[in-house]
Amino acid sequence: MMKSFEEFQSFGKDGFEACVASSSALNKGFQTMAQEAAEFSRKSFEKGTAAFERLASVKSFDKAVEAQQTFAKESYEQFVAQMTKMNELFLSTAKEAYKPFEASMSSFSVKSPK
């Protein structure tokens, strides 16, 4: 019985340590995502301001439409690239948060009867 109690204590301690490590990985990942989102917002605002200035300086309707189309295309491409990057950050964060639990989860694997 004593061995079972010691194993139970060890399992509880390992579980707690895994939770702390997982929380730390989540926190780091969320901070990275927040920084990335803030940087993207800042750059988007700057590019939007520059596009508005270009639009305000054009002399013809055709040039205004061309400038607007260029801005829309660039904005869309940058948005898709940013969402791809955010997806990669999310997946990386999830993997890092799960790593501390991998060892303890493997001990619960189902053993097939012989």
Side-chain angles (χ1 to χ4, degrees):
M1 169 129 182
M2 188 61 161
K3 179 139 173 99
S4 297
F5 182 72
E6 288 172 355
E7 287 174 349
F8 181 74
Q9 276 186 317
S10 175
F11 181 74
K13 179 180 177 245
D14 292 346
F16 177 75
E17 289 172 354
C19 283
V20 170
S22 179
S23 295
S24 177
L26 282 172
N27 188 26
K28 181 181 176 191
F30 290 150
Q31 285 178 346
T32 302
M33 284 185 250
Q35 289 170 344
E36 189 62 40
E39 182 67 16
F40 177 73
S41 295
R42 184 188 62 76
K43 286 179 182 178
S44 294
F45 179 77
E46 289 172 356
K47 289 177 183 181
T49 301
F52 178 76
E53 290 171 358
R54 279 193 304 274
L55 274 173
S57 68
V58 296
K59 305 263 189 246
S60 70
F61 180 73
D62 291 342
K63 292 291 183 187
V65 169
E66 182 182 322
Q68 171 58 25
Q69 287 175 339
T70 301
F71 174 70
K73 182 179 183 248
E74 289 173 358
S75 294
Y76 175 76
E77 290 170 352
Q78 291 164 359
F79 177 76
V80 170
Q82 183 67 24
M83 290 304 104
T84 301
K85 188 173 187 178
M86 293 298 282
N87 184 44
E88 290 169 359
L89 286 172
F90 178 78
L91 290 174
S92 173
T93 298
K95 287 177 185 176
E96 289 299 313
Y98 179 69
K99 274 185 184 177
F101 296 106
E102 284 179 334
S104 61
M105 290 300 163
S106 66
S107 68
F108 286 114
S109 62
V110 177
K111 295 177 183 170
S112 61
K114 293 182 180 182

